[in-house]
Amino acid sequence: MLQGTCIDSDVLGAGETFYLFPAGTDYVYASRFPRKSAHTGCFPIDRFKVKEEVKTSEWPPEPPKRAVGIELNEVYVAKLVWCWEASKDRCDREYYVIARGSGSHVDYYPNPELEGLLGSLPVHWFENFRLAENLHAIESGETATELIPEVAIFHEEESLQFIEQLSLF
């Protein structure tokens, strides 16, 4: 990935800095963000004055999918070995996890009380599963976080109005 300044005001804003991604030998994708998918168009490279080559961090690839022998709705302690680069501060830590649904993903929590759900990640991103001690299995109908919305209670009787359903088509 390169970074450069546009020198042609007919193409983009002259003097504006863009991230440049190669598109063949003579063209580049110009983006205001360091992502090729957010480009504003494909332009000849001679319309830009290249400033510098931007080094991107080399994040390791996602581990291959593998079968993990854990029971559904049981609480385990497991180590998170891979996640997206944006969440890299969560890697290499142990979490309390519960396999849900088909068992391809787990919900993970920071504490044994299963409070503060951190998210749901693929099960193959974790390793070293061991059954958590002194924790009960969660029943299939039970949820770990009981967030029930409060019901609005009206003390006055609703007025009877004529409501007509309108259709756009």
Side-chain angles (χ1 to χ4, degrees):
M1 172 174 55
L2 304 171
Q3 195 170 17
T5 306
C6 182
I7 56 176
D8 186 1
S9 62
D10 293 338
V11 176
L12 294 167
E16 207 173 333
T17 302
F18 292 92
Y19 291 96
L20 306 173
F21 299 92
T25 56
D26 298 333
Y27 288 87
V28 291
Y29 290 108
S31 175
R32 289 183 174 86
F33 306 101
R35 293 183 55 198
K36 181 179 178 181
S37 60
H39 70 86
T40 58
C42 187
F43 306 99
I45 195 157
D46 61 354
R47 306 289 170 108
F48 297 92
K49 179 181 178 189
V50 178
K51 286 186 188 177
E52 63 185 68
E53 186 170 340
V54 179
K55 300 286 184 194
T56 58
S57 65
E58 290 295 324
W59 193 247
E62 180 178 355
K65 292 185 179 183
R66 57 183 162 63
V68 178
I70 61 174
E71 297 290 324
L72 294 177
N73 300 323
E74 288 287 332
V75 180
Y76 291 89
V77 177
K79 182 178 178 182
L80 181 63
V81 293
W82 194 88
C83 60
W84 299 112
E85 187 175 6
S87 304
K88 63 184 170 189
D89 58 326
R90 293 187 178 181
C91 277
D92 295 326
R93 286 198 202 155
E94 287 193 337
Y95 294 99
Y96 292 87
V97 299
I98 303 171
R100 297 291 178 116
S102 65
S104 65
H105 284 71
V106 293
D107 294 342
Y108 72 110
Y109 299 86
N111 53 36
E113 293 81 29
L114 304 179
E115 296 173 348
L117 175 67
L118 296 173
S120 182
L121 297 175
V123 72
H124 66 276
W125 291 7
F126 291 88
E127 66 180 20
N128 301 334
F129 288 89
R130 64 183 190 280
L131 199 55
E133 299 172 8
N134 300 328
L135 294 175
H136 68 284
I138 294 181
E139 301 297 324
S140 61
E142 185 181 345
T143 60
T145 55
E146 294 288 333
L147 299 176
I148 301 173
E150 293 185 21
V151 177
I153 299 173
F154 296 100
H155 296 291
E156 297 177 11
E157 191 174 307
E158 288 186 42
S159 63
L160 298 173
Q161 297 177 3
F162 178 72
I163 300 174
E164 182 180 346
Q165 177 76 32
L166 298 178
S167 175
L168 295 175
F169 302 103

